[in-house]
Amino acid sequence: LMESELARYCTCNIYSCPTLTRHIAALFLLLLPARPWHKPMEAYTLRWHSNEIRAAWPSVFHLDYLDEVHFFPLEGNFISKAKTMLGSIAGNTLILYSVWFLLYAAWMLYIGIDLPRKDRWIPGTSRKMIPKYDTCFHSFMRGGACIGIGEWLWKRPRGVSAKQIETNHFERRDVVIHMTYHAATTLASIFVLGYACYSSKAIHGLALIAMTAIAVSRGAQRYSYYSTAMYS
């Protein structure tokens, strides 16, 4: 579990960072040790200053096993390494992500896609259902992706896409594209950015600085929107 969590901490998910940092609260979720899945600064300390932590609190933090944690399997050729990925940071993370991906994709395709819709009617009545449980997919599509994907991939008329955005009623093939994009950026984030942060203290530090700058900038934009537009 430690290998999987450390990979998540070292990895700034290319897909989720721009989305999460749209909100002020995300600044704290991404940067402070408030939740177990969002502790990049804590991960930086554990990765690069574990000896100082052990020396300062020898009876509190038992981190001797960190010397045996590796991002990829160390021995064997490419094929044998692929078979023994379990136990490494990348392997454990990939397994956990794959399980989540399959479950979430199935839920989105059969249940989640309809929950935020504004054009559903209560059976046997003339009343509309109250939309609920908005998802990252719906937010992503409303942000302009619906029109872009519709025009580039499906040749969907802009008016049809605009109606889908208005009603939150999107197509399942759009969910497939969204989840494919999510998987591609997540894998890139694990195997490229995650490994770079794990291997280089400088790159890890620069990634934290970049995340902080993005979070502060997006948080400031959101706060400005609240104070100048939303309540005016």
Side-chain angles (χ1 to χ4, degrees):
L1 182 59
M2 178 60 189
E3 288 92 341
S4 301
E5 293 194 6
L6 188 57
R8 291 179 63 95
Y9 301 160
C10 290
T11 300
C12 174
N13 190 308
I14 298 172
Y15 165 80
S16 63
C17 278
T19 302
L20 288 173
T21 49
R22 291 172 188 263
H23 301 279
I24 300 172
L27 173 63
F28 302 99
L29 294 178
L30 284 168
L31 302 178
L32 300 181
R35 292 174 56 185
W37 297 112
H38 297 280
K39 305 179 183 177
M41 288 189 173
E42 181 179 317
Y44 179 89
T45 304
L46 290 174
R47 176 70 183 100
W48 303 110
H49 298 283
S50 60
N51 290 333
E52 292 91 327
I53 295 175
R54 282 179 279 192
W57 296 285
S59 60
V60 177
F61 297 99
H62 305 284
L63 304 175
D64 295 337
Y65 60 90
L66 286 179
D67 297 331
E68 302 175 2
V69 174
H70 303 287
F71 200 90
F72 294 112
L74 297 179
E75 300 178 354
N77 55 36
F78 178 80
I79 297 178
S80 62
K81 284 184 178 181
K83 293 180 179 179
T84 59
M85 284 288 282
L86 185 62
S88 67
I89 292 176
N92 287 3
T93 305
L94 185 59
I95 291 172
L96 286 177
Y97 176 74
S98 298
V99 172
W100 171 88
F101 180 89
L102 292 173
L103 293 175
Y104 182 75
W107 179 82
M108 272 300 308
L109 286 168
Y110 293 100
I111 299 175
I113 189 173
D114 291 326
L115 293 180
R117 281 175 49 187
K118 299 178 181 179
D119 58 353
R120 292 194 301 164
W121 299 86
I122 299 176
T125 71
S126 58
R127 293 181 299 166
K128 286 187 176 182
M129 291 185 179
I130 299 176
K132 54 184 177 181
Y133 304 125
D134 198 14
T135 70
C136 292
F137 163 73
H138 291 82
S139 176
F140 177 75
M141 295 297 285
R142 292 194 303 268
C146 181
I147 293 177
I149 293 174
E151 290 182 346
W152 297 338
L153 294 180
W154 317 131
K155 307 304 179 183
R156 185 169 56 211
R158 181 179 286 261
V160 175
S161 294
K163 183 65 174 179
Q164 291 179 353
I165 294 174
E166 179 184 351
T167 60
N168 248 359
H169 187 177
F170 302 107
E171 301 176 49
R172 284 180 171 80
R173 59 182 178 176
D174 292 328
V175 176
V176 173
I177 296 299
H178 174 263
M179 295 306 299
T180 301
Y181 168 65
H182 188 284
T185 54
T186 297
L187 292 177
S189 137
I190 293 172
F191 290 104
V192 179
L193 185 58
Y195 181 66
C197 289
Y198 179 83
S199 303
S200 170
K201 183 178 180 180
I203 293 177
H204 200 165
L206 289 174
L208 287 179
I209 292 173
M211 290 172 62
T212 304
I214 293 172
V216 171
S217 174
R218 293 296 180 86
Q221 292 175 25
R222 176 60 58 170
Y223 183 80
S224 297
Y225 166 74
Y226 286 151
S227 60
T228 62
M230 184 173 180
Y231 297 117
S232 60

